[in-house]
Short mmCIF file of all heavy atoms in Angstrom, two decimals:
data_model
loop_
_atom_site.label_atom_id
_atom_site.label_comp_id
_atom_site.label_asym_id
_atom_site.label_seq_id
_atom_site.Cartn_x
_atom_site.Cartn_y
_atom_site.Cartn_z
N THR W 1 -3.07 0.55 -5.30
CA THR W 1 -1.91 0.60 -4.50
C THR W 1 -2.13 -0.09 -3.11
O THR W 1 -1.28 -0.85 -2.76
CB THR W 1 -1.48 2.05 -4.17
OG1 THR W 1 -1.32 2.83 -5.41
CG2 THR W 1 -0.19 2.21 -3.38
N GLY W 2 -3.29 0.08 -2.59
CA GLY W 2 -3.50 -0.60 -1.32
C GLY W 2 -3.62 -2.09 -1.45
O GLY W 2 -3.09 -2.88 -0.64
N VAL W 3 -4.22 -2.57 -2.51
CA VAL W 3 -4.29 -3.98 -2.80
C VAL W 3 -2.86 -4.62 -2.83
O VAL W 3 -2.58 -5.57 -2.19
CB VAL W 3 -5.14 -4.30 -4.00
CG1 VAL W 3 -4.84 -5.81 -4.49
CG2 VAL W 3 -6.51 -4.02 -3.88
N PHE W 4 -2.02 -3.97 -3.66
CA PHE W 4 -0.62 -4.40 -3.81
C PHE W 4 0.19 -4.37 -2.51
O PHE W 4 0.94 -5.27 -2.14
CB PHE W 4 0.11 -3.74 -4.93
CG PHE W 4 -0.32 -4.23 -6.23
CD1 PHE W 4 -1.16 -3.32 -7.04
CD2 PHE W 4 -0.04 -5.48 -6.79
CE1 PHE W 4 -1.57 -3.73 -8.27
CE2 PHE W 4 -0.52 -5.83 -8.06
CZ PHE W 4 -1.22 -4.99 -8.82
N VAL W 5 -0.05 -3.33 -1.78
CA VAL W 5 0.79 -3.10 -0.47
C VAL W 5 0.33 -4.17 0.46
O VAL W 5 1.11 -4.84 1.11
CB VAL W 5 0.39 -1.63 0.18
CG1 VAL W 5 0.82 -1.59 1.55
CG2 VAL W 5 1.13 -0.61 -0.67
N LEU W 6 -1.01 -4.43 0.63
CA LEU W 6 -1.46 -5.24 1.71
C LEU W 6 -1.29 -6.70 1.36
O LEU W 6 -1.05 -7.61 2.20
CB LEU W 6 -2.99 -5.03 2.08
CG LEU W 6 -3.22 -3.62 2.54
CD1 LEU W 6 -4.75 -3.39 2.78
CD2 LEU W 6 -2.46 -3.36 3.97
N SER W 7 -1.35 -7.04 0.04
CA SER W 7 -1.16 -8.50 -0.33
C SER W 7 0.19 -8.90 -0.05
O SER W 7 0.45 -10.01 0.40
CB SER W 7 -1.51 -8.60 -1.82
OG SER W 7 -0.66 -7.94 -2.75
N LEU W 8 1.15 -8.04 -0.51
CA LEU W 8 2.58 -8.48 -0.17
C LEU W 8 2.90 -8.46 1.29
O LEU W 8 3.74 -9.26 1.79
CB LEU W 8 3.57 -7.57 -1.00
CG LEU W 8 5.03 -8.10 -1.04
CD1 LEU W 8 5.05 -9.56 -1.71
CD2 LEU W 8 5.94 -7.15 -1.73
N SER W 9 2.34 -7.57 2.01
CA SER W 9 2.51 -7.55 3.45
C SER W 9 2.13 -8.87 4.05
O SER W 9 2.72 -9.34 5.10
CB SER W 9 1.80 -6.36 4.09
OG SER W 9 2.27 -5.04 3.70
N ALA W 10 1.02 -9.38 3.61
CA ALA W 10 0.53 -10.62 4.17
C ALA W 10 1.39 -11.83 3.89
O ALA W 10 1.40 -12.80 4.71
CB ALA W 10 -0.86 -10.90 3.68
N ILE W 11 2.09 -11.78 2.79
CA ILE W 11 2.86 -13.02 2.46
C ILE W 11 3.95 -13.31 3.47
O ILE W 11 4.14 -14.33 3.97
CB ILE W 11 3.47 -12.91 1.02
CG1 ILE W 11 2.27 -12.98 0.04
CG2 ILE W 11 4.40 -13.99 0.78
CD1 ILE W 11 2.61 -12.61 -1.43
N PRO W 12 4.84 -12.29 3.77
CA PRO W 12 5.89 -12.59 4.69
C PRO W 12 5.36 -12.80 6.14
O PRO W 12 5.89 -13.69 6.88
CB PRO W 12 6.77 -11.32 4.75
CG PRO W 12 6.49 -10.59 3.52
CD PRO W 12 4.98 -10.94 3.21
N VAL W 13 4.19 -12.22 6.50
CA VAL W 13 3.60 -12.50 7.78
C VAL W 13 3.23 -13.93 7.93
O VAL W 13 3.62 -14.72 8.89
CB VAL W 13 2.29 -11.63 8.02
CG1 VAL W 13 1.65 -12.01 9.17
CG2 VAL W 13 2.74 -10.14 8.01
N THR W 14 2.54 -14.51 6.80
CA THR W 14 2.15 -15.85 6.84
C THR W 14 3.31 -16.80 6.92
O THR W 14 3.39 -17.78 7.75
CB THR W 14 1.34 -16.19 5.62
OG1 THR W 14 0.21 -15.28 5.47
CG2 THR W 14 0.83 -17.63 5.64
N TYR W 15 4.42 -16.48 6.21
CA TYR W 15 5.64 -17.32 6.27
C TYR W 15 6.24 -17.38 7.57
O TYR W 15 6.67 -18.34 8.16
CB TYR W 15 6.53 -16.80 5.14
CG TYR W 15 7.75 -17.70 5.07
CD1 TYR W 15 7.79 -18.77 4.19
CD2 TYR W 15 8.96 -17.53 5.82
CE1 TYR W 15 8.89 -19.71 4.10
CE2 TYR W 15 10.01 -18.42 5.72
CZ TYR W 15 9.97 -19.49 4.86
OH TYR W 15 11.10 -20.29 4.74
N VAL W 16 6.34 -16.11 8.22
CA VAL W 16 7.00 -16.09 9.54
C VAL W 16 6.34 -16.88 10.58
O VAL W 16 6.92 -17.71 11.24
CB VAL W 16 7.07 -14.60 9.99
CG1 VAL W 16 7.41 -14.55 11.52
CG2 VAL W 16 8.08 -13.79 9.22
N PHE W 17 4.92 -16.83 10.60
CA PHE W 17 4.27 -17.52 11.63
C PHE W 17 4.17 -18.99 11.31
O PHE W 17 4.31 -19.91 12.35
CB PHE W 17 2.79 -16.98 11.86
CG PHE W 17 2.90 -15.66 12.56
CD1 PHE W 17 2.65 -14.44 12.00
CD2 PHE W 17 2.97 -15.66 13.99
CE1 PHE W 17 2.75 -13.33 12.57
CE2 PHE W 17 3.03 -14.52 14.67
CZ PHE W 17 2.87 -13.33 14.05
N ASN W 18 4.18 -19.39 10.06
CA ASN W 18 4.29 -20.83 9.76
C ASN W 18 5.70 -21.34 10.12
O ASN W 18 5.76 -22.46 10.64
CB ASN W 18 4.02 -21.04 8.26
CG ASN W 18 2.57 -20.93 7.90
OD1 ASN W 18 1.68 -21.11 8.68
ND2 ASN W 18 2.36 -20.67 6.58
N HIS W 19 6.63 -20.60 9.98
CA HIS W 19 8.01 -20.89 10.24
C HIS W 19 8.09 -21.09 11.80
O HIS W 19 8.70 -22.03 12.33
CB HIS W 19 9.03 -19.83 9.81
CG HIS W 19 10.44 -20.21 9.90
ND1 HIS W 19 11.04 -21.10 9.13
CD2 HIS W 19 11.33 -19.89 10.96
CE1 HIS W 19 12.40 -21.25 9.49
NE2 HIS W 19 12.49 -20.57 10.58
N LEU W 20 7.52 -20.19 12.58
CA LEU W 20 7.54 -20.33 14.00
C LEU W 20 6.89 -21.55 14.57
O LEU W 20 7.36 -22.21 15.46
CB LEU W 20 6.89 -19.11 14.61
CG LEU W 20 7.60 -17.71 14.55
CD1 LEU W 20 6.74 -16.60 15.07
CD2 LEU W 20 8.94 -17.83 15.32
N VAL W 21 5.74 -21.91 13.92
CA VAL W 21 4.99 -23.06 14.37
C VAL W 21 5.78 -24.36 13.98
O VAL W 21 5.86 -25.30 14.86
CB VAL W 21 3.62 -23.09 13.61
CG1 VAL W 21 2.96 -24.43 13.96
CG2 VAL W 21 2.82 -21.93 14.22
N SER W 22 6.35 -24.44 12.83
CA SER W 22 6.95 -25.61 12.34
C SER W 22 8.40 -25.89 12.70
O SER W 22 8.88 -26.97 12.75
CB SER W 22 6.77 -25.79 10.79
OG SER W 22 7.38 -24.77 10.18
N GLN W 23 9.12 -24.77 12.98
CA GLN W 23 10.58 -24.83 13.14
C GLN W 23 10.95 -24.11 14.45
O GLN W 23 11.69 -23.14 14.39
CB GLN W 23 11.30 -24.26 11.93
CG GLN W 23 10.94 -24.94 10.58
CD GLN W 23 11.64 -26.39 10.54
OE1 GLN W 23 12.62 -26.63 11.27
NE2 GLN W 23 11.18 -27.14 9.67
N HIS W 24 10.50 -24.55 15.56
CA HIS W 24 10.81 -23.79 16.84
C HIS W 24 12.33 -23.76 17.14
O HIS W 24 12.75 -22.84 17.63
CB HIS W 24 10.07 -24.53 18.05
CG HIS W 24 8.69 -24.31 17.98
ND1 HIS W 24 8.16 -23.01 18.30
CD2 HIS W 24 7.57 -25.08 17.78
CE1 HIS W 24 6.78 -23.09 18.30
NE2 HIS W 24 6.42 -24.33 17.95
N GLU W 25 13.05 -24.86 16.67
CA GLU W 25 14.41 -24.84 16.91
C GLU W 25 15.29 -23.96 16.12
O GLU W 25 16.46 -23.73 16.39
CB GLU W 25 15.00 -26.34 16.92
CG GLU W 25 15.10 -26.80 15.51
CD GLU W 25 13.78 -27.25 14.86
OE1 GLU W 25 12.71 -27.12 15.63
OE2 GLU W 25 13.81 -27.66 13.75
N GLU W 26 14.72 -23.46 15.03
CA GLU W 26 15.59 -22.59 14.03
C GLU W 26 15.16 -21.09 14.27
O GLU W 26 14.12 -20.71 14.66
CB GLU W 26 15.23 -22.94 12.68
CG GLU W 26 15.72 -24.39 12.29
CD GLU W 26 15.53 -24.67 10.79
OE1 GLU W 26 15.20 -23.80 10.06
OE2 GLU W 26 15.61 -25.83 10.46
N SER W 27 16.26 -20.32 14.09
CA SER W 27 15.93 -18.85 14.23
C SER W 27 15.14 -18.38 13.11
O SER W 27 15.39 -18.68 11.92
CB SER W 27 17.32 -18.14 14.35
OG SER W 27 17.12 -16.74 14.29
N TYR W 28 14.21 -17.42 13.44
CA TYR W 28 13.42 -16.91 12.37
C TYR W 28 13.83 -15.41 12.16
O TYR W 28 13.13 -14.70 11.51
CB TYR W 28 11.92 -16.89 12.75
CG TYR W 28 11.53 -16.23 14.02
CD1 TYR W 28 11.27 -14.85 14.14
CD2 TYR W 28 11.66 -17.00 15.25
CE1 TYR W 28 10.95 -14.21 15.20
CE2 TYR W 28 11.31 -16.33 16.42
CZ TYR W 28 11.05 -14.94 16.50
OH TYR W 28 10.72 -14.38 17.70
N ARG W 29 15.00 -15.04 12.57
CA ARG W 29 15.46 -13.71 12.61
C ARG W 29 15.70 -13.25 11.12
O ARG W 29 15.25 -12.01 10.83
CB ARG W 29 16.77 -13.58 13.41
CG ARG W 29 17.22 -12.18 13.69
CD ARG W 29 18.45 -12.24 14.60
NE ARG W 29 18.85 -10.87 15.03
CZ ARG W 29 19.61 -10.02 14.33
NH1 ARG W 29 20.18 -10.50 13.20
NH2 ARG W 29 19.89 -8.88 14.79
N THR W 30 16.32 -14.04 10.26
CA THR W 30 16.43 -13.63 8.95
C THR W 30 15.20 -13.20 8.13
O THR W 30 15.14 -12.15 7.67
CB THR W 30 17.30 -14.74 8.11
OG1 THR W 30 18.52 -14.98 8.79
CG2 THR W 30 17.48 -14.27 6.74
N ILE W 31 14.31 -14.18 8.07
CA ILE W 31 13.00 -13.85 7.43
C ILE W 31 12.24 -12.85 8.23
O ILE W 31 11.55 -11.97 7.52
CB ILE W 31 12.21 -15.14 7.21
CG1 ILE W 31 10.95 -14.88 6.36
CG2 ILE W 31 11.75 -15.70 8.54
CD1 ILE W 31 11.21 -14.53 4.97
N GLY W 32 12.40 -12.68 9.42
CA GLY W 32 11.64 -11.70 10.25
C GLY W 32 12.21 -10.35 9.94
O GLY W 32 11.40 -9.34 9.84
#
């Protein structure tokens, strides 16, 4: 259970921060 919980938690986190770095002009509110 922990493996599945933590692995999926990491995916959106990585996406959010990549989005922040590469797309400063766009809102990250939706994915956030």
Side-chain angles (χ1 to χ4, degrees):
T1 302
V3 167
F4 286 108
V5 166
L6 297 177
S7 62
L8 191 60
S9 295
I11 294 170
V13 172
T14 303
Y15 185 90
V16 167
F17 284 101
N18 285 341
H19 187 80
L20 288 175
V21 170
S22 61
Q23 301 288 342
H24 285 292
E25 71 281 0
E26 296 184 9
S27 172
Y28 57 92
R29 192 173 186 273
T30 298
I31 187 66

